[in-house]
């Protein structure tokens, strides 16, 4: 007798309930609601509804930007569906072997993590028609079972691929597909846009899926989209790397101009200097070499008398816009090559720039235990591996080794002698072992163009399985510092299905990127994941995430050209986003804060629109303005209308779903703009070292709530301040006028307004049952028991106000309790210093990765040559500090300097040391804030600042040194009022 096994239980909800459930999820996610369960929209935007029948195939789309962890998400989704509904049979379907191997590896690597969270492990296997006993276990096992299958296993024409549809003697005369279908599996499609061919689409119903979940960053056909995490969302939530682009472009190709290429401009202790490639007359002939130029340098002399460089004298080097100006009127921008420039020259420049960017990131991240990888996309395999050459090296491999050796020699010459570990790491890696290739191979076991596969010219895997296994499978080894591989050359084979969190540099070595059929977005996506350190820990701390996680792309075109094309691709995939923040879009949207929901009706939608206009957050066309963007970034958004303030975070999350071109611009920056902000001799001054010694202690905090006292303080606060107003509405009477015409009926003027009266009423949701304790508990992070004691303690008449307006009661009560809790945190918070201290390496790390567009003029008393400021308040503050007669030395504290608090880590702004005499606080740590009413600090930030005050007071007391004062100031004059000894 045939065993049925443990198939997934069917969904028994009727069509209208299913559809409404999906629409509810979509409203909460700010997505357009579906018209029917089985409709879909093709890539041309045409909607194709289909009638629903019980058992019909339902598709749910999950949009997740590349690099945001969709594999992790759908593995977790399987555990959740098993936990909530008992479903246990899942099939992950992928378009390629590369993706299949990546998914299988992810399931293996996360097994222990999910076992700790859910107490269970998945039984996962890769489908193989030669190992059908695994399919037998898939059906008969009651646990969570996952089969990973690539589409070639069931839609290709080969005999082995077709076995899934055949009755097999070695499978008890059964068809594998029939056994699969009896399980009613849930299909998870990874990159479904790659599986829309006729053969695959025809095969999907044969699996008899309970429903299909589709995960992709770029859905070609849209079904019922239930989640959206697009490129803008991912960047704003700091889930992916920031992108910097180093463009390489040519100008003046006629040969009448001298050969010049501007690598970069460096800031120095004196004036900026420029690194420029020029041609120099040598005994062996004319060679192109890199030279450091200062203002006044004559290129004719530097080139040993080459006539073409006559009149080329450096008149100015501008570090702000990366430009070198010459006395003859010519100018050169960073990344520009002029003169007789061949494609081979451009490729060499790109390889050199990639090595330079790699070593910059590596030097900055080595001490943090983060290995840096770089990825080259090339157009022909022969450019990397040429079997006609004696050493089998292609042009790019040869150029790479030449440029790498030179770059390392130059870096070692400049590297501080005390940087022993990184110096040993560099010198311990052989140039020939630090780069590898990942390609398909021909029948002789050699690397070849993967397009040859379509012509039947390939056979098997690499004869160098270590390359294949290391790059595709053994990511842990690839990320270890013991493995010398740091540079990977590949064709389009790695455009999808493979990525690595520690790819920090990409180089596009291809003939003509405008003719490239692989999108920039696909290629850049290989390096967007958040990096991990040698222990596998994600480097995603919100304060430092975009200091560490920066992907540099070296392109064979201008920065502007590459970024414009990439942004265009991103915008094209943001089609679901509205373009205007107006009442029409807000109407009907659901705001959710904890268990509390608010549906925006027309009135509230209009009120929100007026708020945006009044605050200058939208222009006259309803488009998001720069003012909104800046206020959002600095957490200085204006107060919302009273009815919406309780849902503040949800309101601004809704506004963020509107298309914002500025947000897309902020995803990118010029890879040449950041320069070294030199840590100067002021850092070694005894006054600053004394200040640093006093504040660099790490600490742990402890909060011991007196729950009885907290309950009583909340009761007292609710009794005195909770005021719930009944809902008010206006009743307007009117009647038809005596003179009724077609025209005034159409425009509404046929009615004459009469009396207006105000009425009080019950909540529009009075028939809805509320879990008031649960809602407040979730909003305040307190237990139900504690919230219950608070509500039981207030007067019955006060609690009776709940019926007047439940939504306001929950929101206002939550807010008041949260404030009392914050007060209790400060009162009961204690800090203990630990032996560990912050290392001065934090300041060294702060030398790189700076946006000089935000830089001040060069400073004399700051520990860095420049200060990178975020606002006019900070710029004015720095100006006054640097010219003050009382200030000895000061610093903007590096982002890695963090004070732990119960509401998140906190990074203060400034550390200042004053001269002795008339100063009651020689050492000061300051937070600078605007004093404008619209810039009121958020409650969370205020709590962090109160915790910081406690930190400095208690640490000072415990080490018997209260010489450091901490406070918030809005200007230098306010600072001096706090530190001057006027008594």
């Amino acid at each position: 007798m045939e065993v049925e096994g443990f198939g997934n239980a069917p969904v028994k909800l009727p069509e209208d309930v299913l559809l409404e459930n999906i629409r509810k999820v979509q409203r909460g996610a700010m997505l357009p609601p579906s018209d029917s369960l089985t409709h879909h929209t093709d890539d041309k935007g045409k909607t194709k509804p289909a009638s629903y029948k019980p058992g019909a195939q339902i598709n749910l789309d999950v949009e997740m930007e590349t690099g945001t962890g969709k594999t992790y998400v759908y593995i977790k989704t399987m555990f959740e569906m098993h936990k909530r509904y008992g479903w246990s049979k899942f099939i992950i379907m992928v378009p390629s072997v590369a993706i299949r191997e990546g998914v299988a590896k992810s399931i293996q690597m996360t097994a222990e993590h999910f076992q700790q969270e859910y107490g269970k492990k998945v039984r996962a296997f890769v489908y193989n028609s030669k190992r059908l006993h695994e399919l037998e276990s898939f059906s008969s096992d009651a646990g969570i079972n996952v089969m990973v299958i690539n589409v070639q296993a069931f839609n290709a024409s080969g005999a082995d691929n077709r076995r899934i549809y055949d009755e097999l003697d070695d499978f008890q005369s059964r068809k594998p597909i029939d056994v699969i279908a009896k399980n009613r599996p849930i299909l998870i499609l990874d990159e479904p846009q790659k599986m829309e061919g006729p053969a695959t689409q025809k095969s999907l119903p044969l699996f008899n899926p309970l429903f299909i979940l589709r995960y992709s960053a770029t859905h070609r056909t849209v079904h019922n989209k239930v989640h959206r995490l697009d490129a803008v969302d991912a960047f704003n939530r700091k889930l992916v790397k920031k992108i910097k682009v180093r463009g390489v472009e040519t100008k003046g190709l006629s040969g009448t101009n001298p050969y010049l290429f501007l690598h970069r401009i460096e800031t120095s202790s004196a004036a900026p200097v420029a690194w420029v490639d020029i041609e120099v007359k040598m005994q062996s002939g004319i060679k192109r070499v890199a030279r450091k130029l200062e203002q006044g340098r004559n290129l004719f002399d530097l080139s040993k008398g080459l006539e073409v460089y006559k009149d080329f004298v450096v008149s100015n080097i501008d570090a702000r816009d990366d430009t070198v100006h010459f006395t003859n009127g010519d100018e050169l921008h960073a990344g520009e090559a002029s003169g007789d420039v061949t494609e081979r020259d451009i490729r060499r420049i790109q390889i050199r720039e990639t090595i330079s960017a790699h070593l910059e990131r590596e030097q900055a991240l080595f001490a943090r235990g983060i290995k840096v990888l770089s990825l080259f996309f090339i157009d022909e395999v022969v450019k990397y591996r040429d079997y006609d050459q004696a050493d089998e090296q292609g042009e790019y491999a040869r150029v790479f080794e030449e440029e790498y050796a030179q770059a390392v020699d130059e870096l070692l010459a400049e590297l501080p002698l005390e940087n022993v570990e990184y110096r040993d790491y560099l010198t311990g890696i052989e140039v020939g072992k630090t780069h590898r290739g990942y390609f398909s191979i021909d029948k002789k076991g050699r690397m070849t163009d993967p397009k040859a596969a379509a012509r039947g010219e390939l056979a098997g895997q690499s004869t160098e399985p270590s390359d294949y296994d290391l790059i595709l499978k053994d990511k842990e080894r690839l990320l270890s510092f013991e493995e010398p591989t740091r540079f990977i050359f590949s064709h389009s084979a790695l455009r999808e299905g493979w990525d690595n969190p520690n790819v920090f540099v990409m180089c596009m070595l291809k003939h003509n990127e405008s003719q490239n059929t692989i999108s920039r977005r696909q290629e850049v996506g290989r390096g967007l994941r958040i990096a991990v350190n040698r222990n596998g820990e994600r480097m995603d701390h919100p304060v430092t995430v975009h200091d560490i996680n920066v992907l540099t792309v070296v392109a064979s075109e201008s920065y502007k050209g590459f970024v414009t094309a990439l942004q265009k691709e991103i915008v094209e995939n943001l089609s679901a986003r509205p373009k205007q923040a107006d009442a029409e879009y807000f109407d009907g949207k659901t705001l959710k804060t904890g268990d509390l929901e608010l549906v925006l009706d027309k009135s509230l939608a209009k009120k929100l629109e007026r708020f945006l206009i009044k605050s200058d957050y939208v222009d006259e066309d309803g488009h998001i303005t720069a003012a909104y963007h800046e206020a959002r970034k600095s957490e200085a958004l204006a107060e919302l209308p009273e009815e919406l303030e309780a849902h503040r975070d949800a309101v601004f999350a809704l506004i963020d779903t509107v298309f914002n071109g500025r947000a897309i611009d902020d995803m990118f920056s010029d890879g040449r703009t950041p320069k070294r902000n030199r840590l100067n001799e002021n850092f070694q001054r005894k006054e600053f070292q004394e200040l640093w010694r006093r504040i660099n202690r790490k600490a742990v905090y402890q909060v011991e709530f007196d729950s009885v006292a907290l309950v009583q303080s909340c009761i007292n606060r609710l009794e005195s301040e909770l005021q719930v107003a009944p809902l008010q509405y206006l009743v307007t009477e009117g009647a038809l006028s005596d003179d009724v015409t077609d025209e005034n009926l159409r425009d509404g003027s046929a009615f004459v307004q009469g009396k207006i009266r105000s009425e009080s009423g019950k909540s529009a949701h009075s028939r809805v049952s509320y879990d008031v304790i649960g809602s407040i508990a979730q909003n305040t992070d307190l237990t139900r028991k504690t919230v219950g004691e608070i509500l039981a303690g207030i007067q019955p008449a006060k609690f009776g106000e709940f019926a007047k307006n439940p939504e306001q009661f929950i929101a206002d009560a939550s807010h008041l309790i949260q404030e009392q809790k914050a007060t209790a945190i400060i009162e009961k918070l204690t800090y203990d210093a630990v032996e560990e201290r912050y290392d001065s390496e934090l300041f060294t790390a702060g030398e790189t990765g700076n946006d000089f567009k935000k830089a001040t003029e060069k400073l004399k008393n700051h520990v860095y040559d420049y200060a990178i400021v975020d606002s006019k308040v900070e710029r004015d503050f720095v100006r006054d500090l640097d010219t003050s007669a009382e200030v000895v030395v000061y610093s903007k504290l590096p982002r890695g300097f963090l004070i732990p608090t119960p509401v998140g880590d906190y990074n203060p702004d400034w550390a200042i040391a004053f001269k002795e005499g008339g100063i009651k606080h020689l050492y000061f740590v300051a937070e600078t804030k605007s004093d404008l009413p619209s810039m009121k600090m958020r409650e969370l930030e205020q709590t962090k600042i109160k915790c910081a005050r406690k930190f400095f007071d208690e640490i000072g007391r415990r080490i018997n040194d209260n010489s450091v004062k901490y406070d918030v100031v809005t200007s230098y004059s306010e600072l001096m009022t706090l530190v001057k000894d006027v008594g």
Side-chain angles (χ1 to χ4, degrees):
M1 186 177 77
E2 188 170 326
V3 178
E4 292 293 332
F6 297 89
N8 288 331
V11 178
K12 296 182 179 180
L13 294 175
E15 176 184 1
D16 59 336
V17 176
L18 271 175
L19 180 59
E20 182 51 37
N21 286 349
I22 290 172
R23 290 167 65 91
K24 183 177 181 181
V25 171
Q26 291 169 328
R27 285 194 295 268
M30 312 303 172
L31 293 168
S34 296
D35 297 322
S36 67
L37 283 174
T38 53
H39 88 292
H40 68 272
T41 305
D42 62 21
D43 56 356
K44 295 180 181 178
K46 293 183 179 179
T47 301
K48 299 181 178 180
S51 59
Y52 172 80
K53 297 178 182 177
Q57 186 172 292
I58 299 174
N59 293 270
L60 303 176
D61 295 339
V62 179
E63 179 183 339
M64 293 185 67
E65 178 62 13
T66 301
T68 55
K70 70 176 186 295
T71 308
Y72 177 91
V73 168
Y74 63 62
I75 294 173
K76 184 176 178 67
T77 299
M78 292 189 293
F79 277 95
E80 283 293 325
M81 288 194 288
H82 179 72
K83 176 183 175 181
R84 299 185 189 193
Y85 309 112
W87 292 327
S88 61
K89 300 296 187 290
F90 303 91
I91 295 178
I92 301 173
M93 199 171 284
V94 299
S96 68
V97 172
I99 298 180
R100 186 192 71 190
E101 294 298 329
V103 170
K105 186 66 177 178
S106 293
I107 294 174
Q108 175 192 335
M109 291 176 65
T110 57
E112 185 177 342
H113 163 77
F114 284 116
Q115 185 176 29
Q116 290 176 355
E117 185 173 353
Y118 292 94
K120 296 188 177 185
K121 271 190 175 182
V122 299
R123 180 189 170 276
F125 69 101
V126 174
Y127 174 80
N128 187 324
S129 63
K130 304 292 180 59
R131 299 198 306 267
L132 293 176
H133 63 281
E134 293 175 318
L135 180 55
E136 192 78 71
S137 300
F138 176 81
S139 297
S140 59
D141 187 80
I144 306 175
N145 285 263
V146 181
M147 180 170 77
V148 185
I149 187 170
N150 50 295
V151 293
Q152 295 82 3
F154 60 84
N155 71 2
S157 56
D160 287 342
N161 307 108
R162 304 297 299 176
R163 276 170 56 88
I164 195 170
Y165 302 116
D166 295 338
E167 289 185 2
L168 304 174
D169 292 338
D170 56 352
F171 199 52
Q172 303 172 31
S173 298
R174 294 174 297 172
K175 298 177 182 178
I177 191 66
D178 290 342
V179 174
I180 294 170
K182 285 184 179 294
N183 287 279
R184 293 302 313 273
I186 295 169
L187 286 190
I188 295 173
L189 271 54
D190 192 331
E191 306 290 357
Q193 76 279 5
K194 298 294 180 184
M195 296 182 274
E196 295 195 353
T200 303
Q201 292 302 306
K202 185 178 179 181
S203 299
L204 289 183
L206 300 179
F207 285 81
N208 193 26
L210 191 64
F211 53 86
I212 300 177
L213 295 174
R214 298 169 175 260
Y215 289 79
S216 176
T218 53
H219 288 279
R220 185 178 300 163
T221 302
V222 179
H223 302 80
N224 301 292
K225 186 179 287 189
V226 293
H227 180 76
R228 176 182 62 206
L229 179 66
D230 61 24
V232 176
D233 292 325
F235 178 76
N236 287 340
R237 298 181 194 178
K238 299 182 178 179
L239 299 176
V240 292
K241 291 187 178 87
K242 188 167 186 174
I243 302 171
K244 293 187 177 180
V245 178
R246 289 193 183 190
V248 177
E249 61 179 323
T250 58
K251 73 170 190 175
L253 298 180
S254 63
T256 57
N257 292 330
Y259 175 78
L260 294 166
F261 174 71
L262 175 53
H263 289 275
R264 64 191 182 276
I265 290 174
E266 290 181 352
T267 53
S268 69
S269 56
V273 296
W275 281 93
V276 178
D277 278 358
I278 68 168
E279 293 182 332
V280 177
K281 189 189 300 182
M282 299 182 175
Q283 288 185 349
S284 58
I286 295 174
K287 289 191 175 180
R288 291 176 177 176
V289 294
R291 289 290 185 261
K292 184 164 68 173
L293 306 184
E294 309 87 17
Q295 186 173 346
R297 174 68 73 170
N298 188 325
L299 269 61
F300 178 75
D301 296 337
L302 200 62
S303 68
K304 307 296 185 185
L306 288 179
E307 194 71 23
V308 73
Y309 288 106
K310 259 192 170 180
D311 301 324
F312 274 84
V313 178
V314 179
S315 62
N316 184 43
I317 299 174
D318 194 332
R320 296 205 173 215
D321 64 359
D322 287 312
T323 306
V324 174
H325 299 266
F326 298 97
T327 53
N328 63 1
D330 274 17
E331 60 182 45
L332 193 66
H333 297 277
E336 272 187 351
S338 73
D340 187 11
V341 185
T342 67
E343 184 181 325
R344 183 168 291 186
D345 295 328
I346 293 294
R347 301 308 173 208
R348 179 177 285 271
I349 289 170
Q350 283 185 269
I351 291 172
R352 185 189 305 153
E353 290 294 305
T354 301
I355 294 168
S356 169
H358 177 102
L359 293 175
E360 284 178 17
R361 295 304 297 156
E362 189 171 75
Q363 188 178 356
L365 300 180
F366 179 79
R368 297 176 185 257
I370 302 169
K371 184 175 178 180
V372 173
L373 300 176
S374 293
L375 176 61
F376 293 89
F377 280 114
I378 69 176
D379 44 18
E380 298 174 273
V381 175
V382 71
K383 294 286 185 66
Y384 178 72
R385 190 64 53 87
D386 186 352
Y387 293 100
D388 292 333
Q389 302 297 319
D391 59 2
E392 297 188 346
Q393 282 202 338
E395 175 191 343
Y396 292 162
R398 198 180 311 280
V399 170
F400 171 83
E401 293 194 1
E402 293 171 1
E403 293 292 339
Y404 177 83
Q406 182 176 336
V408 170
D409 287 345
E410 291 175 356
L411 177 58
L412 289 173
E414 297 177 0
L415 205 60
L417 292 175
E418 60 269 20
N419 203 337
V420 177
E421 287 190 24
Y422 183 55
R423 180 181 290 274
D424 290 346
Y425 177 68
L426 275 181
T427 55
I429 298 176
E430 295 179 32
V431 62
K433 292 184 177 180
T434 202
H435 63 99
R436 291 197 189 221
Y438 175 80
F439 308 97
S440 305
I441 34 213
D442 63 13
K443 293 177 181 177
K444 297 179 182 179
R446 297 174 175 178
M447 299 180 180
T448 189
D449 193 320
K451 292 179 181 178
R455 303 191 293 268
E457 298 173 11
L458 304 183
Q461 296 294 348
S462 174
T463 56
E464 299 178 0
S466 59
D467 285 6
Y468 175 84
D469 290 338
L470 175 67
I471 295 170
L472 191 63
K473 294 182 176 181
D474 198 353
K475 292 185 180 180
E476 297 99 321
R477 180 180 153 209
L478 183 58
L479 288 175
S480 72
F481 285 94
E482 289 70 31
E483 168 55 50
T485 303
R486 292 138 75 217
F487 299 87
I488 298 170
F489 287 79
S490 178
H491 203 287
S492 57
L494 290 187
R495 74 181 185 271
E496 60 187 21
W498 182 92
D499 55 18
N500 191 292
N502 286 27
V503 171
F504 283 93
V505 189
M506 282 185 170
C507 181
M508 309 307 184
L509 292 172
K510 292 179 297 186
H511 281 306
N512 189 340
E513 292 177 37
S514 65
Q515 296 175 0
N516 181 24
T517 57
I518 303 163
S519 75
R520 288 170 171 79
R521 193 172 172 216
Q522 283 179 313
E523 290 172 329
V524 170
R526 301 308 98 214
L528 285 180
R529 285 178 60 193
I530 296 296
V532 298
N533 64 11
R534 55 167 33 114
N535 301 317
E537 299 163 335
R538 279 168 56 89
M539 299 291 96
D540 58 357
H541 194 289
V543 176
T544 59
V545 61
H546 278 161
D547 293 334
I548 294 172
N549 291 280
V550 179
L551 174 67
T552 300
V553 180
V554 180
S556 59
E557 59 182 308
S558 70
Y559 163 79
K560 184 177 180 181
F562 185 90
V563 170
T564 299
L566 182 54
Q567 287 179 329
K568 182 180 178 183
E569 287 185 28
I570 291 173
V571 170
E572 287 172 351
N573 283 278
L574 298 178
S575 57
R577 283 182 178 260
K579 298 296 189 293
Q580 295 170 307
D582 56 20
E584 182 179 355
Y585 172 62
F586 300 143
D587 186 18
K589 295 297 186 293
T590 301
L591 304 179
K592 189 172 183 180
T593 303
D595 284 343
L596 189 61
E597 288 189 357
L598 176 66
V599 178
L600 297 179
D601 58 18
K602 291 185 183 299
S603 174
L604 285 175
K606 194 67 181 175
K607 190 166 289 189
L608 178 55
E609 180 185 49
R610 286 197 296 269
F611 160 79
L612 294 176
I613 294 170
K614 181 180 177 182
S615 305
D616 292 326
Y617 291 163
V618 296
D619 60 22
E620 58 186 17
D621 296 319
H623 300 145
I624 299 293
T625 63
Y628 173 80
H629 182 81
E630 294 300 329
R632 187 80 160 118
K633 190 174 183 180
S634 61
E635 296 186 349
L637 290 158
E639 295 294 319
L640 285 163
E642 185 178 350
E643 302 93 323
L644 299 172
E645 186 62 37
H647 292 275
R648 184 179 182 85
D649 291 341
V651 168
F652 290 117
L654 169 61
I655 296 167
D656 288 342
T657 62
V658 177
F659 174 78
N660 185 350
R662 175 72 180 273
I664 294 177
D665 289 341
D666 279 357
M667 295 167 62
F668 303 92
S669 63
D670 192 331
R672 300 177 190 281
T673 301
K675 300 167 187 68
R676 183 168 176 257
N677 189 12
R678 193 176 66 94
L679 190 63
N680 57 42
E681 59 277 3
N682 286 327
F683 180 73
Q684 298 300 337
R685 295 187 70 156
K686 63 180 179 61
E687 293 90 348
F688 189 78
Q689 289 299 314
E690 281 296 311
L691 168 57
W692 179 237
R693 183 180 64 80
R694 285 168 165 81
I695 68 174
N696 71 357
R697 280 186 174 273
K698 292 187 177 181
V700 292
Y701 67 82
Q702 184 174 332
V703 180
E704 293 185 358
F705 275 117
D706 181 341
S707 59
V708 175
L710 176 63
V711 167
Q712 189 56 53
S713 67
C714 289
I715 290 171
N716 295 340
R717 186 78 184 277
L718 293 177
E719 285 283 0
S720 62
E721 296 188 32
L722 181 61
Q723 301 291 331
V724 179
L727 289 176
Q728 300 284 330
Y729 57 91
L730 295 177
V731 177
T732 303
E733 297 179 358
L736 279 173
S737 67
D738 295 332
D739 183 20
V740 178
T741 65
D742 289 342
E743 184 177 349
N744 61 26
L745 275 173
R746 280 195 300 270
D747 64 19
S749 61
F751 283 84
V752 177
Q753 182 175 308
K755 297 178 181 178
I756 300 177
R757 69 179 189 278
S758 175
E759 296 280 357
S760 298
K762 295 181 179 179
S763 167
H765 302 283
S766 59
R767 295 185 181 180
V768 177
S769 59
Y770 286 89
D771 178 8
V772 61
I773 293 177
S775 297
I776 296 176
Q778 184 164 349
N779 293 346
T780 59
D781 289 325
L782 295 175
T783 65
R784 293 179 65 94
K785 179 176 180 293
T786 301
V787 173
E789 289 175 356
I790 293 170
L791 296 181
I794 63 177
Q795 295 294 322
K798 180 65 69 175
F799 186 74
E801 294 184 2
F802 172 78
K804 294 180 183 177
N805 193 332
E807 293 84 2
Q808 187 190 349
F809 183 95
I810 291 172
D812 290 358
S814 298
H815 180 73
L816 293 171
I817 292 172
Q818 192 78 308
E819 285 187 348
Q820 288 304 116
K821 181 185 169 188
T823 301
I825 283 176
I826 306 304
E827 290 175 352
K828 302 298 179 181
L829 177 69
T830 58
Y831 280 98
D832 286 307
V834 296
E835 288 301 315
E836 188 179 2
R837 291 175 176 265
Y838 281 106
D839 195 273
S840 58
E841 183 266 338
L842 286 177
F843 288 90
T844 306
E847 290 183 299
T848 57
N850 297 292
D851 184 355
F852 264 66
K853 292 176 182 175
K854 298 180 178 179
T856 60
E857 298 294 331
K858 193 166 183 181
L859 304 168
K860 64 177 183 178
N861 295 328
H862 192 240
V863 299
Y864 295 104
D865 287 347
Y866 305 87
I868 312 301
V869 295
D870 296 320
S871 65
K872 185 178 183 301
V873 170
E874 286 193 346
R875 190 173 294 277
D876 292 344
F877 190 67
V878 170
R879 179 200 62 210
D880 293 339
L881 286 177
D882 211 58
T883 55
S884 168
E886 288 95 348
V887 174
V888 179
V889 62
Y890 66 99
S891 173
K892 188 162 192 187
L893 286 165
R895 289 181 179 272
F897 178 75
L898 301 171
I899 295 171
T901 83
V903 290
D905 290 340
Y906 166 66
N907 173 226
D909 285 334
W910 306 94
I912 307 160
F914 292 92
K915 292 180 182 178
E916 295 188 29
I919 300 291
K920 60 182 178 182
H921 300 294
L922 276 182
Y923 306 112
F924 203 94
V925 176
E927 181 76 18
T928 44
K929 294 295 176 189
S930 169
D931 59 354
L932 297 176
S934 61
M935 305 282 276
K936 288 193 295 184
M937 285 182 287
R938 298 285 302 281
E939 184 177 306
L940 182 66
E941 190 174 5
Q942 288 177 328
T943 302
K944 285 184 178 181
I945 286 170
K946 290 175 182 176
C947 291
R949 287 195 179 100
K950 195 98 170 184
F951 169 85
F952 284 106
D953 288 346
E954 292 204 2
I955 295 301
R957 187 168 61 252
R958 289 174 187 273
I959 63 174
N960 197 30
D961 183 355
N962 283 305
S963 58
V964 178
K965 170 72 173 175
Y966 166 84
D967 216 325
V968 179
V969 297
T970 60
S971 65
Y972 175 77
S973 61
E974 187 176 343
L975 169 68
M976 294 312 296
T977 300
L978 293 172
V979 301
K980 275 282 189 180
D981 188 358
V982 294

